[in-house]
Amino acid sequence: MDQTGFSSAHLLRLYDRFECLDRDNRGYLSPNDFEAVGGLAMNPIGGRIIDAFFSSGQDTVDFSSFVRILAHFRPTDRNRNKEGTQQELPNSRTRKLKFAFQLYDLDRDGKISREELLQVLRAMLGLQVTKEQLQSIAERAIQEADLDKDDAISFDEFKKVLGFFLLQSQSLVPDRMKRIPPLRMILALTCSGVLPSLVHLSPSTETMMEVRPKSRDRIIRALQVCRT
Amino acid sequence: MAPLRRSSTLRLTGLLCLLFLVFFSRGFASHDVVSEKSSGTIQEDSHSQANSTAHEKTFPVLSFNYEHVRTPFEISLWILLALFMKLGFHIIPTVSHIVPESCLLIFVGLLVGGIIKATGEQPPVLDSSLFFLYLLPPIILDAGYFLPMRSFTENIGTILMFAVVGTLWNVFFIGGMMYAVCQIDAAELAHVDLLSCLLFGSIISAVDPVSVLAVFEEIHINELLHILVFGESLLNDAVTVVLYHLFKEFAHEQTITVTGAILGVISFFVVSLGGVMVGVIYGIVGAFTSRFTSYSRVIEPLFVFLYSYMAYLSAEIFHLSGIMSLIACGVIMRPYVEANISHKSYTTVKYFLKMWSSVSDTLIFIFLGVSTVAGPHTWNWTFVIFTVIFCLVSRVLGVIGLTAFINKFRIVKLTKKDQFIIAYGGLRGAIAFSLGFLLDNGEIKNLFLTAIITVIFFTVFVQGMTIRPLVELLAVKKKKESKESINEEIHTQFLDHLLTGIEDICGHYGHHHWKDKLNRFNKTYVKRWLIAGERSTEPQLISFYNKMELKQAMMMVESGSAAKLPTIVSTVSIRNVQTKGAPKPSRAISKSREEEIRRLLRANLQKTRQRLRSYSRYELLNDALEDNISEARFRKQREMERRMSHYLTVPANRQETPPVRKVFFQPEHKVYTYDDSESPRGWASPSCADDVSELKETPEKPDQSSTPRANRDAELKPKEQDDQGDQLKVSRCLSDPGPNPEDDEDSTFLP
C-alpha cells in the first residue's frame, strides 16, 4: 500500500473490479479477460494498453501488478515536499509520462523512432489516410520534437514537448481515482456477479469491520497481496 | 531628434483628440437646433410657395437638409468617436500601461457627456434595448465562437458552481444585508422594502462578461483562471435573468409565496436549458446550411452571423437566456462550419467578429460615461457605500466558500492565489446598468442606478487598474505562449485514448469515457450530415495538420519569398558537390519529360497572373496577386519565376532529379475528391507529398544504400521540398479560384 499510495477504500474497489474482470475466478487475469472489456475493442491503442499490464513474457496479471500499474494514474500529490523520493512514487509526473512513453516505444529502446510513430498514427487514424500523409505528419512531428537530431524522440524530448500541456490540463488522471463514494454504487451495478454493496467505504479501519465476513476475508487477502 | 518628435506627436494627438471631442459633442448637441432651423425653412418654403405662385423659384444650387440623414449620421459619428479613442490610446503608450482601456473609455464618455451637458443639451442615455439588441450580441458571439472548448469542458463543473451557486449567494447576501441597512433609521431608506432590495441584489451581483473580457485581455493571465472567471460571467446570465424577472414580478405583489419560489426554480432550468436548446437548434441548422454554400462563397460569413443573431433574438422572445443561446449556437456551429467554408470566409468571420466586438465594447464604455453624466441621480451615502462594501465582501466569501467545496472534487486544486484573482476579477459592468435602467421609474430607480454606477466605476477603475500590478506582485502564472505543434495534438489524442482505455478497464464511466462516446457519435452520424463532401470523413488530426501547413506556408511568403530562393538553389548545389564523388546509379529523367515539366510549370505560373482579367462583382477576385501582394512582392514573384526557369535549364547531369512539383494533381492519387474549385485547404501537403514521393521513389531506392549521406540528403530534401512546395502551395492558395473550376489544368500529363 505504501508503494502504490492507494487508500484501503480504493484498493477495495480495485479488488472488486479485478474480480469482476476475472470471470473464471482464477485469481489472475489473462489477455482474454481484458479484451472482454467493451470499450477496449474499439480503442485504437487498446492492444497496447493491454500489453502494458503484462510485464515481459508473462501471460497473467495478478492483483498486485494490476494495482501497481493503475497506481500510475493516481493524482500527483502536489503539496508533497520535494524530497528525493518524489521520483520513485508511481504517480509522479515522470512516472506517468514514462508509462505513456512506453506505450509508444514498443521495442523498449528508449526512443520513439519514426516507424513506431507511424504505427501509432496508423492505429489512431485508421485506414482513411494514405501512407504519404502519415509520413508527412510523422516527419513533421519528429522535426518539431527532435532536438539532438537523431531522427527519433527520446524520453527527455517527449517530456519537453508535453511538459507545458500536462501542467495545464487535468489529463493523465481519470476521474476514477477521485474519492467519490457514491460512485461505488455505479461500480457495483456494472459489475455483474459481485455483491459488495454492503461494504461500507470509509477509509477508517473500524468501519471496515462492518463488512460481511466473506467479503472481509477477500478484502484482507487482497490487502495482504498488495502489501507484498 | 526622436524624443522631440515623439513629444510633438503626442501634443498634436492630444490636441486632435480634444478637437474631435468638442466637434462630436457639438454634432450631437446641435441636431436639435438644426432640426428647428430646417423645419423653419420648410415652413418658410411652403409660405413662400403659397404666396408667390407666380414667382419663379430659384433653383437651389446648394441646400442643407440634415434631417434626412440625421440618425445614420449620428450613429456613424458615435462609432467614429469610439474608433478614434481606441486609436488614440495606442498612440499614447504611457497611459495605456497603467490604466486599462475600459477606464479611459469611461473617462472619455464622462468628458463627452460633460461637454454636451455644458452646451445645455440632454446627452443620450444608454438605451436598454439598444444595449441588449445591438451592442451586447457581437461581444458574446465573439467570445462564444472562440471559446477554448477543451479547458471549458474540463472545468465545466467548477464554472457552473461559481456561476449558479455563487451568483445565488451574492444575490441573497447583498439583498439581505442591504435590507438590514435600510432598516437603520438614520439612512432614511425605510421605503425600500425587502423585495426591492432583493431585486437590487439580483441586478448588481452578476459578473459582467464585457468588463471581464476588457480587463483580463490585457493582463494575459493563465488559461485556467481566465476560463473560470470568463465562463462564470457567461453562464450566470441564466440566473440573473430568472431572478430579475422573478423579483420584478413579485415586487408588484409585495410578497413571495412558496409556489412562487418553486416556480422560480423551475423557471431557472427552463431558461438555461431552453436557451441552450435554441442555440443548439440554430447551430445545427447553420452547420447544415453551410454544407451547401460552396455555390456562393461570398455570402458565407453572413450565414454564421445571422444564424447566431437569430438564436439570440429567438431566445429573447421567450425570455430565455439569450447569452447561453448565443454561446451554444457558436460552439455547435463552429467545427462543422469551419470544415465547410472557404479559407477566406473563415478569415472574414474571424475578423468581422473581432471588429464588431471591439467597436461594441468601446461604445458601451463610452455610453456608460455619458449616461453617468446624463441620468437623474439620487445620492445616498449610506446606500452606496454599503453596496460597494457588501459587493466585495460577498464576492470574497462566496469564492472562498465555494472553492473549499470544489477543491474536494478537483484534481488541479485552486490555490489561494487563484482564489484571490477569481474574487478580484468579479467585475460588474454595463449589463447591470441596463437591467437597472429597465426598472419602473421612480425614486427607487434613481437610487439604485446611482449605486449601480458607483459599483461599476469602483470595480472597473479600482479593480481594473490594480489587477495588473497585483498579478505581477503575486507572481500569478501568465499565459504561456504555446506554439501550436503537431506533437501536442498527436499526444493529446493518444492520451485521450489511453485514459479512455484505463477507464474502461476500471469500469468507470468518467469524463473520458463520455467524451470518447461523443466523439464516436459525432464521427459516425453527425459529421456525415453536416459536412460537405469528403471532408466529413477526414480525421481531426489531418485537418489540424493541414491547417498548420497552410499557416506555415503563408508565413513563409509573408517573410519574403525571394529570400527562400537562394536556399533552394544553394541546397541543390551543396547536394551536387556532395554527391558528385559517390558513384551512384543514376536515373536521368527523360529529356522530353523534363521539357514537359518545365513548360507546364512556366505556363501555370503565368496563368495564375492571367486569370485576373475577368471581373465579376459577385465572385471573389481570383487575383490575390493584386489584392494581397503589393508591387514589390509581385516583382519578387517574377524574379522567382525567372530563377526557377534558370534553375530548370541547368543541365541535368545531377545524380537525382530535382524534386519537381506538379502544380496540379493526378486525381487518382488524391485523397480527397475535391474538385479544384474547393478551397485550397486540405490539398496542401497530402497530394503534393503524394506526387513527390511517387517521383522520388525511383531515384531514392539506389540512394538508400549509402547511409550517412542518405540521411543528410533525406534531411535536405524534405526541407527543400517543403520550401518549394510551400511556394507553389501558396501561389495556389492565394489565387483561390472560387467557384470556377479550372478544366484545362486537370489533364494528367504523366503516365
Side-chain angles (χ1 to χ4, degrees):
Chain A
M1 269 218 286
D2 305 320
Q3 260 189 334
T4 60
F6 277 127
S7 66
S8 23
H10 274 150
L11 278 177
L12 220 51
R13 268 186 256 161
L14 287 174
Y15 190 70
D16 282 320
R17 180 62 181 170
F18 183 81
E19 291 218 320
C20 187
L21 289 175
D22 183 14
R23 277 169 309 168
D24 309 331
N25 278 324
R26 287 170 295 178
Y28 54 82
L29 292 176
S30 64
N32 307 334
D33 296 321
F34 278 107
E35 276 155 24
V37 177
L40 279 182
M42 289 194 294
N43 199 325
I45 57 171
R48 291 174 187 240
I49 300 179
I50 296 176
D51 287 335
F53 275 89
F54 297 92
S55 44
S56 51
Q58 283 183 329
D59 236 8
T60 58
V61 174
D62 61 351
F63 184 60
S64 54
S65 339
F66 184 71
V67 167
R68 230 168 265 137
I69 301 232
L70 285 181
H72 285 292
F73 293 95
R74 271 191 58 239
T76 320
D77 303 318
R78 236 183 14 178
N79 27 13
R80 280 284 207 106
N81 21 351
K82 318 223 186 292
E83 319 156 33
T85 55
Q86 180 76 353
Q87 279 297 91
E88 292 147 20
L89 264 193
N91 65 334
S92 73
R93 261 192 71 221
T94 322
R95 290 291 292 266
K96 285 185 170 96
L97 284 172
K98 190 90 187 147
F99 186 80
F101 188 77
Q102 272 165 359
L103 284 182
Y104 277 98
D105 183 22
L106 290 176
D107 55 3
R108 308 286 165 110
D109 63 352
K111 293 176 180 300
I112 306 178
S113 69
R114 194 175 302 215
E115 283 72 37
E116 287 166 344
L117 193 59
L118 272 177
Q119 277 172 18
V120 171
L121 285 175
R122 168 66 71 190
M124 287 208 295
L125 296 174
L127 296 168
Q128 299 155 329
V129 296
T130 63
K131 190 155 157 287
E132 287 76 19
Q133 275 178 302
L134 286 180
Q135 273 172 347
S136 34
I137 295 182
E139 178 65 47
R140 203 201 162 97
I142 291 190
Q143 252 180 2
E144 269 177 11
D146 194 14
L147 300 168
D148 53 4
K149 304 289 176 211
D150 58 355
D151 213 27
I153 305 181
S154 71
F155 182 55
D156 292 315
E157 289 158 0
F158 184 72
K159 256 203 300 191
K160 205 173 294 190
V161 162
L162 282 188
F164 161 67
F165 166 69
L166 284 176
L167 275 175
Q168 294 286 80
S169 82
Q170 304 194 47
S171 305
L172 266 199
V173 189
D175 300 343
R176 176 71 180 80
M177 300 301 156
K178 298 187 226 172
R179 293 193 304 155
I180 308 180
L183 282 172
R184 190 76 181 78
M185 299 318 292
I186 301 179
L187 185 62
L189 289 172
T190 54
C191 248
S192 58
V194 182
L195 295 170
S197 44
L198 293 182
V199 175
H200 186 53
L201 263 195
S202 77
S204 60
T205 43
E206 297 87 83
T207 45
M208 284 268 280
M209 293 309 133
E210 293 167 20
V211 158
R212 285 196 309 192
K214 187 162 151 242
S215 320
R216 203 197 318 163
D217 291 330
R218 270 191 318 157
I219 291 158
I220 294 177
R221 231 186 322 132
L223 292 176
Q224 278 171 346
V225 162
C226 233
R227 279 207 190 93
T228 54
Chain B
M1 188 59 171
L4 194 64
R5 238 188 299 152
R6 268 272 293 284
S7 61
S8 61
T9 22
L10 282 177
R11 257 183 270 136
L12 195 62
T13 329
L15 199 62
L16 272 174
C17 282
L18 210 59
L19 276 176
F20 277 130
L21 278 177
V22 178
F23 171 67
F24 283 131
S25 45
R26 282 305 302 170
F28 305 135
S30 61
H31 67 261
D32 278 343
V33 181
V34 172
S35 64
E36 281 173 29
K37 242 197 272 168
S38 53
S39 56
T41 43
I42 291 177
Q43 279 180 342
E44 276 179 22
D45 260 337
S46 55
H47 273 301
S48 54
Q49 266 186 343
N51 289 346
S52 51
T53 43
H55 282 296
E56 280 179 14
K57 244 173 42 103
T58 49
F59 185 73
V61 177
L62 199 61
S63 54
F64 186 83
N65 186 1
Y66 183 61
E67 270 309 298
H68 187 56
V69 294
R70 184 172 128 197
T71 322
F73 194 78
E74 285 180 4
I75 295 177
S76 311
L77 272 183
W78 275 112
I79 299 183
L80 261 182
L81 171 69
L83 296 176
F84 278 124
M85 288 305 114
K86 235 180 154 57
L87 267 184
F89 299 141
H90 288 287
I91 297 181
I92 313 176
T94 47
V95 193
S96 56
H97 279 314
I98 313 170
V99 188
E101 210 174 280
S102 37
C103 302
L104 289 171
L105 289 170
I106 293 186
F107 191 65
V108 166
L110 285 173
L111 265 180
V112 173
I115 295 177
I116 295 181
K117 202 154 195 184
T119 59
E121 300 293 333
Q122 179 66 0
V125 193
L126 181 59
D127 184 21
S128 287
S129 63
L130 172 73
F131 174 74
F132 278 116
L133 291 181
Y134 300 112
L135 291 178
L136 187 62
I139 302 180
I140 304 293
L141 180 60
D142 177 40
Y145 199 77
F146 295 110
L147 203 61
M149 273 320 285
R150 211 186 164 82
S151 32
F152 189 72
T153 46
E154 273 178 14
N155 295 301
I156 189 86
T158 317
I159 293 177
L160 277 176
M161 269 309 241
F162 276 123
V164 177
V165 180
T167 313
L168 279 174
W169 156 259
N170 276 352
V171 169
F172 286 108
F173 184 79
I174 294 179
M177 296 304 275
M178 289 315 291
Y179 183 61
V181 166
C182 291
Q183 299 303 87
I184 303 175
D185 287 326
E188 303 160 7
L189 288 167
H191 56 274
V192 182
D193 57 335
L194 177 64
L195 274 170
S196 308
C197 284
L198 284 174
L199 181 60
F200 177 69
S202 72
I203 298 176
I204 197 74
S205 55
V207 178
D208 188 79
V210 181
S211 309
V212 165
L213 262 180
V215 170
F216 269 49
E217 218 171 50
E218 299 182 358
I219 59 179
H220 298 300
I221 209 163
N222 65 6
E223 197 172 298
L224 173 68
L225 287 178
H226 187 252
I227 198 70
L228 281 180
V229 182
F230 184 59
E232 177 197 346
S233 68
L234 288 176
L235 294 185
N236 65 15
D237 182 58
V239 183
T240 312
V241 164
V242 168
L243 286 176
Y244 180 76
H245 287 296
L246 189 71
F247 290 132
K248 203 162 168 210
E249 284 299 311
F250 283 113
H252 295 297
E253 299 165 25
Q254 298 297 322
T255 47
I256 280 194
T257 56
V258 179
T259 41
I262 296 181
L263 281 177
V265 172
I266 298 179
S267 153
F268 165 69
F269 285 107
V270 168
V271 162
S272 49
L273 293 175
V276 172
M277 281 286 288
V278 170
V280 167
I281 294 176
Y282 271 100
I284 293 182
V285 175
F288 191 65
T289 315
S290 73
R291 190 176 157 181
F292 303 106
T293 52
S294 53
Y295 303 109
S296 176
R297 292 259 180 218
V298 197
I299 57 174
E300 268 172 349
L302 261 184
F303 278 113
V304 174
F305 301 138
L306 283 179
Y307 274 112
S308 316
Y309 194 48
M310 297 277 287
Y312 179 76
L313 294 176
S314 312
E316 288 288 326
I317 296 177
F318 301 103
H319 274 208
L320 303 173
S321 167
I323 291 185
M324 293 184 79
S325 149
L326 201 50
I327 304 262
C329 182
V331 163
I332 296 281
M333 211 170 35
R334 182 175 171 198
Y336 308 111
V337 160
E338 279 188 6
N340 282 332
I341 62 179
S342 73
H343 187 70
K344 281 189 182 169
S345 303
Y346 171 68
T347 312
T348 311
V349 167
K350 195 163 78 159
Y351 276 101
F352 258 82
L353 281 178
K354 297 266 174 234
M355 180 185 84
W356 270 329
S357 73
S358 179
V359 172
S360 258
D361 98 356
T362 316
L363 273 177
I364 287 177
F365 283 115
I366 292 185
F367 266 117
L368 261 181
V370 174
S371 315
T372 312
V373 177
H377 292 299
T378 311
W379 182 269
N380 185 315
W381 280 101
T382 333
F383 194 79
V384 168
I385 291 185
F386 273 107
T387 308
V388 174
I389 294 177
F390 286 137
C391 277
L392 285 174
V393 168
S394 83
R395 176 83 181 156
V396 170
L397 287 178
V399 168
I400 294 181
L402 278 176
T403 321
F405 180 65
I406 290 174
N407 268 342
K408 293 207 183 90
F409 298 96
R410 279 184 66 93
I411 297 174
V412 179
K413 311 225 181 282
L414 295 174
T415 63
K416 289 234 180 327
K417 268 194 243 169
D418 297 336
Q419 292 176 35
F420 177 74
I421 297 288
I422 295 176
Y424 209 66
L427 307 171
R428 286 17 178 215
I431 291 186
F433 179 78
S434 311
L435 282 177
F437 202 74
L438 283 175
L439 292 174
D440 303 323
N441 272 322
E443 204 203 306
I444 294 188
K445 172 178 169 182
N446 295 337
L447 179 69
F448 285 174
L449 270 180
T450 316
I452 292 173
I453 289 187
T454 317
V455 174
I456 296 178
F457 271 42
F458 181 80
T459 52
V460 172
F461 276 95
V462 175
Q463 286 178 246
M465 274 203 274
T466 52
I467 201 169
R468 197 193 306 215
L470 275 173
V471 162
E472 306 273 337
L473 194 70
L474 293 175
V476 178
K477 269 191 280 204
K478 292 277 190 95
K479 175 159 58 165
K480 276 233 194 108
E481 289 307 317
S482 73
K483 249 182 1 134
E484 259 183 352
S485 96
I486 189 86
N487 267 299
E488 224 175 271
E489 186 71 19
I490 295 179
H491 299 311
T492 315
Q493 281 201 11
F494 186 84
L495 288 173
D496 276 342
H497 287 303
L498 171 62
L499 286 172
T500 315
I502 295 285
E503 279 190 359
D504 285 330
I505 290 180
C506 292
H508 173 70
Y509 296 135
H511 178 72
H512 290 273
H513 179 91
W514 292 118
K515 208 155 58 147
D516 192 57
K517 267 213 156 78
L518 188 68
N519 278 339
R520 233 177 271 283
F521 175 70
N522 192 18
K523 213 193 297 199
T524 43
Y525 298 112
V526 183
K527 273 196 181 166
R528 217 173 291 180
W529 279 103
L530 296 181
I531 299 185
E534 286 300 315
R535 299 296 302 275
S536 55
T537 46
E538 183 183 69
Q540 186 194 348
L541 199 61
I542 299 289
S543 44
F544 183 83
Y545 178 68
N546 290 336
K547 234 190 272 193
M548 266 180 62
E549 287 283 297
L550 196 67
K551 252 188 249 187
Q552 195 184 41
M554 290 217 161
M555 254 172 22
M556 282 222 261
V557 163
E558 296 266 315
S559 62
S561 54
K564 285 293 165 188
L565 239 319
T567 42
I568 296 180
V569 178
S570 59
T571 50
V572 171
S573 54
I574 289 175
R575 228 163 357 112
N576 285 347
V577 167
Q578 286 168 352
T579 57
K580 223 177 272 193
K584 282 195 214 145
S586 60
R587 185 191 179 281
I589 234 180
S590 65
K591 205 97 203 276
S592 58
R593 187 158 146 169
E594 196 183 281
E595 261 309 303
E596 249 184 318
I597 294 172
R598 257 185 252 143
R599 200 178 9 102
L600 279 153
L601 261 179
R602 231 174 294 146
N604 190 66
L605 285 172
Q606 280 173 355
K607 259 202 201 140
T608 57
R609 255 182 309 146
Q610 280 166 9
R611 237 185 287 129
L612 352 147
R613 300 309 163 216
S614 72
Y615 175 77
S616 153
R617 212 176 95 189
Y618 296 106
E619 282 164 10
L620 294 167
L621 293 178
N622 307 338
D623 51 326
L625 292 171
E626 277 190 350
D627 293 345
N628 304 352
I629 312 187
S630 61
E631 257 317 298
R633 286 209 195 120
F634 189 62
R635 261 182 267 122
K636 279 186 197 166
Q637 198 106 9
R638 249 191 285 165
E639 165 142 346
M640 164 181 124
E641 230 179 295
R642 228 187 322 122
R643 287 203 202 185
M644 282 198 63
S645 41
H646 159 76
Y647 162 66
L648 289 170
T649 53
V650 173
N653 54 4
R654 291 185 291 272
Q655 307 303 105
E656 299 119 12
T657 54
V660 177
R661 297 222 151 226
K662 288 193 289 181
V663 186
F664 31 94
F665 331 111
Q666 283 185 310
E668 59 262 27
H669 282 272
K670 268 199 286 197
V671 178
Y672 320 104
T673 53
Y674 283 136
D675 51 336
D676 285 336
S677 60
E678 272 280 349
S679 68
R681 277 179 317 153
W683 50 258
S685 67
S687 340
C688 291
D690 262 337
D691 305 328
V692 169
S693 58
E694 182 216 7
L695 278 177
K696 218 175 49 161
E697 249 162 42
T698 29
E700 273 270 289
K701 280 196 202 118
D703 290 347
Q704 271 155 11
S705 45
S706 62
T707 28
R709 205 163 282 158
N711 278 345
R712 235 175 311 148
D713 287 344
E715 212 183 297
L716 286 173
K717 248 204 228 192
K719 238 198 284 186
E720 180 197 307
Q721 282 167 16
D722 276 303
D723 293 343
Q724 244 188 335
D726 289 320
Q727 296 289 3
L728 295 167
K729 268 187 241 168
V730 168
S731 65
R732 184 85 163 143
C733 161
L734 292 176
S735 57
D736 179 21
N740 287 331
E742 313 144 45
D743 337 283
D744 51 340
E745 287 179 357
D746 260 346
S747 54
T748 67
F749 70 105
L750 283 178

